[in-house]
Amino acid sequence: MKKLLLFFSVIFAIASCGSQNTKTIIVTTSNPIYAIIKEIAGPRVDVRYIIPSGASPHTYQPKPSDVYKSQAANVLIYAADNNDGWAAKLPGSRNLLQLVELLPREYWINYRGEKVSAADTTITSKNIDTHFWMDPLAVKAILPALADTLAKIDPQNAATYRTNAELFSNRLDLLHRQVDNILHNVKGKTVFLHHPSIMYMLQRYGLLYGGSIEEAPGKEPSPKYIASLIQKIKESGTKAIFNEPQLSDKAVKSIADEAKVSVYLLDPIGGTSGRENYQDLILFNARTLAKALAGD
Ligand SMILES: [Zn+2]
């Protein structure tokens, strides 16, 4: 009898310990979102991600294991309907948060890398370039609304979200100054991309956008379009074009051969060694641009 009582008290202790330590589960789609949320979530929040590094969020096909992840989530966070919108269709009774909706309008840019004018009523958050995380100041701009939203969903961690958002905001100011320094000597240079992935960075730091192999994410280029892109690369006088780890390098290599330029790697997603946290992801891209364009 004593043994049985002891057994039940142990079980009870384990169960109550578990309930005290219940963590809020935030599931994010891809690494940049994960990296941002990690900065503001405290130790009582379990932040997870769906997409493995090396896969493109635009074309990702969710697996059965992603459905389990989504069902376990208290909050599911994705970038935008026209970026990783498949996440919104995953089953589960979780709160859904689309980050691009938190981005103030004055930060918006379109898929030609231009600022969206305040007077242009044809543009909404549904048809802007969604890769806003490539500008540290755009990330800073979403933090107050992000912390408030998470605080409402998860009141027990409200103070942590708000405090961490303020601290992260200060670190983003420092990062912005660091990136501005790194890119100082390549301002005004023209950049050709695989897909329009880092235009928020180009716009912020005064680099010019020359064009992409994919005009919009996932858009297959025609041979005619490729020929005109090669012409533009030659005319620009640039010595480099850029590939990304999430996309095939076949087209980039043949374009580079034809235009007689070098290929460098930019990474808008990260999640691999040295590009895991938000700051390292941004610095990797800034340093690559500075190195590749220095001789132009
Ligand atoms: Zn993209």
Side-chain angles (χ1 to χ4, degrees):
M1 186 64 192
K2 261 189 181 172
K3 268 187 185 166
L4 197 64
L5 272 175
L6 184 68
F7 173 76
F8 279 116
S9 57
V10 167
I11 291 288
F12 180 73
I14 291 170
S16 48
C17 177
S19 68
Q20 272 167 15
N21 288 335
T22 301
K23 285 189 174 185
T24 302
I25 299 173
I26 299 183
V27 174
T28 61
T29 48
S30 65
N31 183 66
I33 316 291
Y34 171 79
I36 291 166
I37 302 302
K38 279 293 269 187
E39 298 282 348
I40 66 166
R44 284 179 300 170
V45 180
D46 179 358
V47 189
R48 303 171 183 179
Y49 61 87
I50 291 176
I51 307 177
S53 60
S56 167
H58 301 293
T59 51
Y60 185 72
Q61 305 273 346
K63 298 184 188 64
S65 59
D66 300 331
V67 172
Y68 291 124
K69 275 188 196 159
S70 150
Q71 282 169 333
N74 300 107
V75 194
L76 179 61
I77 305 182
Y78 66 113
D81 283 337
N82 56 338
N83 186 298
D84 44 8
W86 46 265
K89 299 182 189 100
L90 289 171
S93 58
R94 66 280 180 277
N95 294 279
L96 203 56
L97 182 53
Q98 187 185 172
L99 289 189
V100 79
E101 292 198 319
L102 308 180
L103 186 68
R105 195 185 163 99
E106 63 265 32
Y107 288 83
W108 292 2
I109 64 173
N110 63 26
Y111 275 121
R112 293 187 301 280
E114 304 153 345
K115 279 248 177 212
V116 173
S117 94
D120 190 347
T121 51
T122 63
I123 306 279
T124 69
S125 66
K126 298 200 184 317
N127 51 17
I128 57 168
D129 177 1
T130 53
H131 305 76
F132 69 90
W133 63 85
M134 294 308 296
D135 171 11
L137 296 186
V139 172
K140 183 184 168 181
I142 69 162
L143 287 183
L146 178 60
D148 273 353
T149 309
L150 291 175
K152 275 182 201 133
I153 294 171
D154 180 20
Q156 64 165 350
N157 291 309
T160 309
Y161 293 125
R162 292 201 171 105
T163 307
N164 286 349
E166 271 192 48
L167 294 171
F168 185 34
S169 193
N170 295 340
R171 290 197 297 279
L172 289 171
D173 281 331
L174 290 176
L175 179 62
H176 162 61
R177 287 199 284 278
Q178 208 178 344
V179 174
D180 200 35
N181 254 331
I182 292 169
L183 293 175
H184 187 74
N185 291 335
V186 294
K187 275 187 186 170
K189 305 274 187 191
T190 306
V191 178
F192 292 89
L193 301 169
H194 195 141
H195 92 293
S197 57
I198 66 149
M199 299 201 299
Y200 280 82
M201 181 177 269
L202 303 183
Q203 170 76 33
R204 172 65 60 199
Y205 298 103
L207 285 88
L208 305 176
Y209 173 57
S212 289
I213 297 173
E214 295 176 7
E215 274 182 285
K219 187 176 175 187
E220 280 286 317
S222 68
K224 197 176 156 201
Y225 176 80
I226 292 286
S228 77
L229 186 67
I230 292 169
Q231 191 58 31
K232 272 193 205 167
I233 295 169
K234 285 180 176 166
E235 281 166 11
S236 76
T238 190
K239 305 278 190 303
I241 59 171
F242 298 92
N243 197 26
E244 296 167 32
Q246 295 79 24
L247 302 171
S248 152
D249 58 3
K250 235 168 107 184
V252 183
K253 276 185 177 155
S254 69
I255 290 169
D257 282 349
E258 190 108 0
K260 298 188 174 54
V261 293
S262 307
V263 178
Y264 286 81
L265 193 77
L266 289 171
D267 187 357
I269 302 294
T272 51
S273 177
R275 288 171 238 159
E276 275 149 347
N277 70 38
Y278 179 76
Q279 173 169 302
D280 289 347
L281 175 67
I282 293 300
L283 289 175
F284 171 83
N285 288 287
R287 286 176 181 140
T288 303
L289 285 171
K291 188 177 164 195
L293 302 172
D296 277 12

